[in-house]
Amino acid sequence: MSLHLKREIEKLKTKVLKLGSLVEEAVQQATIAMKNRDLKLAKMVIRKDIMIDEMEVDFEEECLKVLALHQPVAIDLRFIVSVLKINNDLERIGDLAVKIAERVPCIAENFQVSVEPDYVDMAQKVQLMLQKSLDALVEMDQTLAKQVRGMDDEIDRLNIEISEQIRKGITEIDSDFENYMQLLNIPKSLERIADHAANIAEDVIYMIEGKIVRHTTEQEEE
């Protein structure tokens, strides 16, 4: 690898991690806004998405420029292909954080529910998955990336459990049907964030090992 290419790759790594940090913050703020019915914080998350979108486009352009100018091969090429996909996953996570934040005004005022699920545990586990997937990228740690993949089943279980609690509320009280439907989108969005975190982990594994594991189970890898 040429010294110039090495520098460009380090710049890309720094940029994708900066985007990852911003997206992590957006997810955390969105779930806090939902829990506390905090309209001000929800609006901050929505405004932040503009910055995330701009960073995503800028990063993609930088990756394409490096590919055109340096024509990297082997592990360098795998790195750029992987971070391009990670970049897209991060942007989608930002969009999902906005979806959660957008539900806050609908339920913040005069919404009394007989069943209001506790999203905290699910949200914390999802945030941990995202954090670990980015840590795996920083440390180039395939073991950590594989741990993230293993966490996804628990998130799927929580999504089903919380969604069932909300559906129970819908059947009990007809007057707040629309707001219950808004609540139903929250575990779904959290579950999708977890899926994107798992995608990031899978791209880290590809980056390091050159193996595509997206359509395999952990048992099949062993």
Side-chain angles (χ1 to χ4, degrees):
M1 184 197 311
S2 71
L3 182 60
H4 190 58
L5 176 56
K6 183 176 181 179
R7 287 174 180 167
E8 291 299 322
I9 284 178
E10 285 302 315
K11 285 180 185 177
L12 290 177
K13 192 172 183 180
T14 299
K15 282 191 172 185
V16 77
L17 292 174
K18 184 177 179 181
L19 176 59
S21 177
L22 194 64
V23 168
E24 272 191 280
E25 185 179 61
V27 172
Q28 182 181 39
Q29 290 176 338
T31 52
I32 292 172
M34 188 74 252
K35 180 176 180 289
N36 298 334
R37 300 183 181 183
D38 187 332
L39 291 171
K40 185 177 179 180
L41 188 58
K43 288 177 182 177
M44 285 177 58
V45 174
I46 294 167
R47 287 196 301 268
K48 187 175 293 183
D49 192 52
I50 296 172
M51 186 185 304
I52 290 172
D53 289 346
E54 289 175 350
M55 290 176 68
E56 186 259 346
V57 170
D58 177 68
F59 185 81
E60 182 173 331
E61 289 175 350
E62 286 296 314
C63 285
L64 295 175
K65 190 185 298 182
V66 172
L67 284 171
L69 293 176
H70 299 281
Q71 299 181 346
V73 296
I75 192 169
D76 300 326
L77 179 59
R78 289 207 308 270
F79 173 84
I80 295 174
V81 169
S82 298
V83 292
L84 267 169
K85 293 165 71 179
I86 289 170
N87 180 51
N88 181 256
D89 278 308
L90 289 171
E91 189 274 334
R92 288 295 300 123
I93 292 171
D95 288 345
L96 290 161
V98 168
K99 283 190 175 182
I100 294 171
E102 286 175 340
R103 268 57 188 178
V104 176
C106 298
I107 66 169
E109 298 176 5
N110 303 318
F111 179 35
Q112 301 299 320
V113 293
S114 60
V115 178
E116 184 166 5
D118 182 3
Y119 301 102
V120 174
D121 183 47
M122 184 178 184
Q124 287 177 341
K125 284 183 168 63
V126 169
Q127 289 173 52
L128 182 61
M129 279 186 71
L130 179 56
Q131 177 191 326
K132 284 193 170 188
S133 67
L134 293 171
D135 286 345
L137 175 60
V138 173
E139 299 165 17
M140 295 293 281
D141 186 337
Q142 63 265 48
T143 301
L144 189 56
K146 289 173 183 177
Q147 286 178 17
V148 174
R149 293 189 79 209
M151 296 169 71
D152 200 38
D153 288 343
E154 173 68 4
I155 301 303
D156 291 341
R157 184 189 68 77
L158 288 170
N159 177 37
I160 294 169
E161 182 181 299
I162 292 173
S163 297
E164 285 303 315
Q165 291 175 22
I166 296 170
R167 290 189 182 96
K168 180 182 177 183
I170 292 173
T171 60
E172 289 180 359
I173 298 179
D174 295 332
S175 59
D176 280 321
F177 176 81
E178 180 61 32
N179 285 320
Y180 271 107
M181 292 306 294
Q182 295 291 338
L183 282 178
L184 200 56
N185 280 286
I186 299 167
K188 182 179 178 181
S189 292
L190 288 170
E191 189 269 338
R192 290 295 298 131
I193 290 171
D195 286 344
H196 286 292
N199 288 348
I200 292 170
E202 288 164 356
D203 287 326
V204 171
I205 293 169
Y206 170 72
M207 189 187 303
I208 298 167
E209 299 182 355
K211 295 179 183 177
I212 298 173
V213 298
R214 196 175 296 273
H215 303 295
T216 63
T217 65
E218 290 177 275
Q219 290 74 23
E220 288 172 330
E221 287 181 62
E222 293 175 356

